[in-house]
Amino acid sequence: MTVWKIASRWSTTGTKASSVLEVFKRYGIVFAGKEQERIQSDVQIGDLIAVSDGKKIVAIAKAIGKPTAITAFELDKADQGDFYRPSTIAIRVEMIFLEADDVFSTRIGVFHKIDTHAGRIKQLYEEYLQDNSFQIEAYSWSLGFNGKNPESIMLQPNVRYVVPIYQRPYSWGESQIKKLLNDLMRSFWGSDCRSESEPMFIGTMQLSKAVAIENEGRRHDIIDGQQRLSTLTLLLKVLHDLYRNQSALLGELSFDWLETNVNRGISSAELHAALACPVHESATNPYIRAYMIIKRFFEAGEYCQEEELVSLDMERFVRYILSDLYFVVIITHAGLSKTLQIFNAINTAGLDLSHTDLFKIRFYEYLSPDGDNHKLFNRIDELYEQIKSFNIEQKHSKLTITQALELYQLYIIGRYDLAASLLKMDAGTFFDRLLDLLLGVKQWDGFSAKAKKVILDIETLSHCVSLMIAWHRGRSKLNAVSIIWTRLVWRSRYTKYWKLALVGMVDTGILDEAEYDALIAKFGAIALIYTVIYDKQVNEMFDLLKRYAELLSKKDVLTCKEQMDQKRNTLKVAFSAKIHRPVFDNEKRKNTLCLLSAAITQLKISSSPSDIDRLIFDAEIDIEHIQPRNDDDRTNRAQIRAAWGDELNALGNLVILERSINRSVSNSTFTEKRKGYSRSKFRILQEILSDYPVSFERSDAEKRRATVVDGIIKFIYGS
């Protein structure tokens, strides 16, 4: 293994402005415009390349591809500088960025072999590569002064605190800000504005390990503590703008320690506006709103609750803020996944990590191991925004990123032949554990060696999002039968797997409505049959789901349809026998069968998908016993049950009914119930009124059961 050095500044003078280090990071390549022949002939796959920024070695890369012209790599047009030409030689690499303490100087030069520091570079690379554990450092820090330990302060020269791109924007309002200010004033001079000052504990702040930046500085990402540090920064800015003539300390503050990468640069512009001079009011800028709340607090004398306002010694107050406000600072030396695990364990008031938040962050970590590709994160975030915008546009839509992830989960399990048991996991758990495996955090049961071959990519996820949006937007265009089968799957024991009908479209991201109609009818029948035959979810069904997902992900739609038909046909006898027997005591069984029966009947007068969707499946219904199970006359109950037997709870005696009507007819006689049935909008109730104008006996229920069962069998299997 040979060790080389390559520079990241693309100019003859090596100016900072000419750095292409971001391009190295973004695309996982290094390149040079000199020594081309030597690079092509001497650099081998597996060699190490020390990457310099100026005189400092800031990263170590391992060559994983052969040297070639940079034009063989697709770079965004915005990143194609004057280096993007055939004479520039590039190498695909895996890059590790050094922590601030490991950065060191070396001799300048565009490209050369390293001898003097070769052993050190190899050792650093192995240490970084093999260290899968994490390290936690905990300190007690103040803001600006610390008599016991001068190094234990937040505001040091050349140290930046950055709100990382995956965090949420600054959001503290008046109540949180006023609470912090009032707590601060009580600690400074007590409730009477005359007591001795006491140190104040601000809370826990979690920071990432330090990363080297220009001018021998370092940068920490803020994992937890953004709101408090931002508010304290704004407090000092207000005091600076109002009272800098009363305090020499205020005049020394520069307000350049805090940065934010949140919200596609919007939050950064808002923070800069709040830290500018002068500050102009803004109704939309959260930093300026906070600034104005703090400003009014001091201008109105809210800092003192005494009737007679006590003068505030500004120099002493500022020194108190800088020296007597304490944080417990936790610095984590770990990848993003482990850092977030630590965050979850100690979380105070930072971002709320739902499983979709976690997926966004960990997917970003997977796609961008160095965590510094803002364009990539913004592409991920745009998928979330697409769903949000669609829901706003549609008003009543409840589409979520989880639904897109469920489709992606089905696709991955089929495409990579993963265990069928993984289909039982919710999408959040599935992707959390899959990413644990792919990021080398933990091996989970159920994730075999095949799972290590899974390749996640943003394009496929984007296709899943596009498909879900297209399906929800085009839902009204589906035919009535497709609506019936979709809604029945939603009511079955296999609710979320209706998306199986979309798996074959994931590679293109284009909705094929005709293909969806065909597949949802076939899969819907199987989901209904398994819901009816069995009292709970069964492994056999998950094996089928996995097999169908595998075929669809590989575009073998014809075989998938054939196997669905074969399975449906083999279960016909068992299904028919089951629906002839009592069904009422199983919630899923009675609901799906009674809804299907009602939908089939409704089709006789309307094939409008929206009518079926809205009238049958969106209505608040109960499953009604035509002959009550519990007659109003208690003395008749035993006799009725003996006379009716199993027929009392079979399909012939059951029908859907609007809940409001069901409550009114309750356990009345059939004669009384007819009055309520006449108010029903369901065609199936109108048929009962027509077919049984006087009474409804057991023999009537038997005949009706035969008719209902025959209708269901024909709907599923054809005439």
Side-chain angles (χ1 to χ4, degrees):
M1 179 193 292
T2 305
V3 180
W4 308 91
K5 180 260 182 183
I6 200 164
S8 65
R9 296 193 178 181
W10 192 265
S11 66
T12 55
T13 56
T15 60
K16 177 185 172 184
S18 67
S19 174
V20 291
L21 188 60
E22 287 297 319
V23 180
F24 285 7
K25 291 180 183 180
R26 191 169 296 130
Y27 297 99
I29 59 175
V30 296
F31 51 82
K34 296 182 179 180
E35 302 285 345
Q36 293 98 324
E37 291 184 6
R38 187 180 183 194
I39 294 173
Q40 286 188 298
S41 63
D42 292 356
V43 176
Q44 304 296 316
I45 293 175
D47 283 355
L48 294 183
I49 303 169
V51 180
S52 69
D53 186 22
K55 296 179 180 180
K56 303 286 187 180
I57 298 297
V58 296
I60 302 172
K62 183 177 183 179
I64 59 173
K66 295 181 179 180
T68 186
I70 193 172
T71 49
F73 299 93
E74 293 186 8
L75 274 61
D76 290 346
K77 288 186 178 180
D79 293 326
Q80 295 178 11
D82 60 359
F83 56 79
Y84 195 70
R85 52 179 183 257
S87 60
T88 300
I89 303 302
I91 307 165
R92 175 73 71 189
V93 296
E94 291 178 344
M95 196 176 303
I96 295 172
F97 285 84
L98 302 180
E99 296 183 21
D101 293 342
D102 293 325
V103 171
F104 63 94
S105 298
T106 187
R107 71 181 177 90
I108 61 173
V110 174
F111 175 84
H112 58 78
K113 183 180 178 182
I114 287 182
D115 293 316
T116 305
H117 296 296
R120 181 179 183 182
I121 290 169
K122 289 179 181 178
Q123 182 180 355
L124 278 171
Y125 183 80
E126 291 300 321
E127 288 176 355
Y128 275 70
L129 195 65
Q130 295 175 8
D131 186 13
N132 289 322
S133 61
F134 59 84
Q135 179 184 353
I136 299 176
E137 301 172 17
Y139 304 95
S140 175
W141 281 5
S142 55
L143 279 175
F145 301 113
N146 193 316
K148 295 180 180 179
N149 188 351
E151 294 297 315
S152 295
I153 59 174
M154 297 283 296
L155 309 182
Q156 298 185 43
N158 296 326
V159 177
R160 301 290 181 270
Y161 300 96
V162 180
V163 182
I165 194 170
Y166 54 79
Q167 285 270 20
R168 292 177 179 172
Y170 178 73
S171 61
W172 265 19
E174 186 166 3
S175 61
Q176 294 104 323
I177 294 168
K178 287 283 188 72
K179 183 179 186 308
L180 177 62
L181 294 175
N182 287 323
D183 289 346
L184 173 61
M185 298 314 302
R186 277 193 296 271
S187 295
F188 176 62
W189 59 11
S191 58
D192 61 358
C193 302
R194 292 176 175 82
S195 302
E196 291 294 321
S197 298
E198 296 179 351
M200 179 178 173
F201 173 60
I202 294 296
T204 301
M205 175 170 289
Q206 186 182 348
L207 306 174
S208 70
K209 63 187 178 185
V211 176
I213 57 176
E214 69 277 2
N215 300 324
E216 300 187 358
R218 70 178 189 271
R219 184 198 77 205
H220 292 279
D221 282 351
I222 303 172
I223 309 301
D224 183 28
Q226 172 204 170
Q227 307 291 335
R228 282 159 290 157
L229 185 59
S230 298
T231 304
L232 288 172
T233 300
L234 294 169
L235 166 61
L236 289 171
K237 179 62 167 60
V238 168
L239 297 179
H240 171 273
D241 292 351
L242 293 178
Y243 306 112
R244 60 181 173 273
N245 294 332
Q246 301 178 32
S247 169
L249 290 172
L250 288 173
E252 297 171 2
L253 297 177
S254 60
F255 304 103
D256 60 353
W257 60 77
L258 182 63
E259 301 173 7
T260 178
N261 290 326
V262 172
N263 204 13
R264 300 183 181 87
I266 296 174
S267 291
S268 179
E270 290 173 336
L271 176 61
H272 288 159
L275 298 179
C277 204
V279 176
H280 301 287
E281 287 211 42
S282 168
T284 59
N285 185 326
Y287 294 104
I288 290 181
R289 286 202 304 268
Y291 177 97
M292 292 301 174
I293 291 168
I294 298 169
K295 183 181 179 185
R296 288 192 293 270
F297 181 86
F298 285 94
E299 286 181 331
E302 294 181 46
Y303 58 83
C304 181
Q305 302 302 316
E306 291 290 287
E307 291 184 7
E308 183 179 344
L309 189 64
V310 178
S311 176
L312 183 61
D313 183 337
M314 191 53 60
E315 183 74 1
R316 176 172 163 252
F317 181 55
V318 173
R319 181 170 291 277
Y320 173 80
I321 293 172
L322 295 175
S323 60
D324 286 343
L325 301 189
Y326 288 94
F327 295 87
V328 170
V329 176
I330 295 175
I331 299 177
T332 52
H333 296 254
L336 188 53
S337 291
K338 289 184 178 178
T339 296
L340 291 174
Q341 288 177 355
I342 298 166
F343 166 82
N344 277 335
I346 64 172
N347 184 23
T348 54
L351 79 171
D352 178 20
L353 290 178
S354 67
H355 78 82
T356 53
D357 291 325
L358 277 170
F359 174 79
K360 183 194 295 187
I361 297 168
R362 300 195 72 198
F363 187 43
Y364 170 56
E365 179 188 17
Y366 168 82
L367 296 174
S368 178
D370 58 56
D372 210 18
N373 189 336
H374 292 183
K375 286 186 177 179
L376 184 58
F377 184 87
N378 286 337
R379 285 191 65 194
I380 300 169
D381 195 49
E382 282 168 6
L383 300 180
Y384 285 64
E385 288 299 316
Q386 284 177 29
I387 290 174
K388 181 179 178 181
S389 298
F390 173 75
N391 287 337
I392 293 172
E393 168 200 323
Q394 297 293 313
K395 294 183 181 178
H396 300 298
S397 174
K398 295 180 180 179
L399 179 61
T400 65
I401 191 69
T402 299
Q403 295 175 41
L405 291 177
E406 288 170 348
L407 175 57
Y408 199 10
Q409 177 184 3
L410 272 167
Y411 175 83
I412 289 170
I413 290 171
R415 181 70 180 83
Y416 291 93
D417 191 23
L418 304 187
S421 60
L422 299 181
L423 288 165
K424 299 178 184 179
M425 288 184 181
D426 65 84
T429 301
F430 172 79
F431 281 105
D432 197 39
R433 293 185 177 184
L434 178 61
L435 286 164
D436 272 350
L437 177 68
L438 298 178
L439 293 169
V441 175
K442 184 176 180 179
Q443 172 73 53
W444 289 92
D445 290 341
F447 288 84
S448 64
K450 292 179 181 178
K452 295 180 180 179
K453 298 179 181 179
V454 172
I455 298 174
L456 302 176
D457 67 277
I458 196 168
E459 290 304 321
T460 306
L461 178 59
S462 176
H463 288 170
C464 291
V465 171
S466 296
L467 279 171
M468 295 309 303
I469 290 175
W471 186 90
H472 280 271
R473 178 173 279 124
R475 177 174 166 181
S476 61
K477 299 177 183 177
L478 297 176
N479 64 52
V481 173
S482 290
I483 288 293
I484 290 172
W485 282 123
T486 302
R487 296 300 296 261
L488 284 173
V489 176
W490 292 2
R491 295 290 190 118
S492 76
R493 305 188 203 282
Y494 305 94
T495 304
K496 67 179 181 179
Y497 305 106
W498 70 274
K499 303 174 192 70
L500 178 75
L502 300 172
V503 167
M505 307 168 205
V506 168
D507 284 336
T508 64
I510 299 172
L511 177 66
D512 183 333
E513 292 173 358
E515 194 65 67
Y516 176 83
D517 289 344
L519 283 168
I520 196 61
K522 294 180 184 297
F523 174 68
I526 293 171
L528 173 68
I529 290 168
Y530 271 84
T531 295
V532 169
I533 290 178
Y534 299 100
D535 292 341
K536 59 182 181 180
Q537 289 184 342
V538 291
N539 290 334
E540 181 182 328
M541 181 61 171
F542 288 104
D543 290 337
L544 290 174
L545 275 165
K546 182 267 182 76
R547 176 60 179 155
Y548 299 152
E550 181 180 1
L551 290 168
L552 291 172
S553 68
K554 296 175 181 178
K555 300 289 188 180
D556 194 351
V557 180
L558 182 60
T559 301
C560 183
K561 290 178 179 178
E562 289 174 350
Q563 292 190 7
M564 286 180 175
D565 285 342
Q566 290 170 6
K567 177 54 66 175
R568 180 193 62 185
N569 292 336
T570 61
L571 295 169
K572 182 176 181 179
V573 173
F575 177 70
S576 179
K578 195 73 175 181
I579 62 177
H580 268 291
R581 294 198 287 269
V583 300
F584 183 79
D585 289 334
N586 185 284
E587 191 78 15
K588 290 288 185 182
R589 188 178 295 134
K590 71 178 180 182
N591 283 342
T592 51
L593 290 172
C594 288
L595 282 166
L596 176 55
S597 176
I600 292 170
T601 306
Q602 203 70 30
L603 281 175
K604 295 177 183 179
I605 61 170
S606 174
S607 60
S608 166
S610 60
D611 283 352
I612 299 293
D613 206 8
R614 175 185 52 79
L615 183 62
I616 302 295
F617 292 99
D618 284 341
E620 290 190 2
I621 59 121
D622 287 326
I623 303 302
E624 155 79 346
H625 282 82
I626 303 172
Q627 165 59 52
R629 269 204 313 179
N630 299 302
D631 195 271
D632 277 345
D633 186 347
R634 292 176 178 271
T635 61
N636 289 334
R637 290 182 181 181
Q639 181 181 350
I640 291 171
R641 290 173 185 174
W644 279 70
D646 286 344
E647 207 64 50
L648 197 62
N649 292 314
L651 279 176
N653 191 44
L654 301 176
V655 66
I656 68 168
L657 182 63
E658 291 92 336
R659 183 162 297 159
S660 59
I661 299 175
N662 186 50
R663 297 296 188 266
S664 67
V665 300
S666 187
N667 294 318
S668 303
T669 63
F670 181 70
T671 302
E672 290 299 316
K673 284 189 173 189
R674 284 178 54 84
K675 298 175 183 177
Y677 292 174
S678 65
R679 302 198 306 272
S680 175
K681 296 179 181 179
F682 299 136
R683 168 71 180 181
I684 197 167
L685 268 301
Q686 303 311 311
E687 286 195 355
I688 289 173
L689 290 173
S690 174
D691 294 342
Y692 310 103
V694 178
S695 63
F696 189 77
E697 307 299 336
R698 173 175 173 157
S699 58
D700 297 321
E702 290 173 345
K703 292 176 184 178
R704 183 173 180 272
R705 168 168 53 82
T707 302
V708 170
V709 168
D710 184 61
I712 290 173
I713 294 296
K714 286 180 178 178
F715 187 78
I716 296 175
Y717 292 97
S719 56

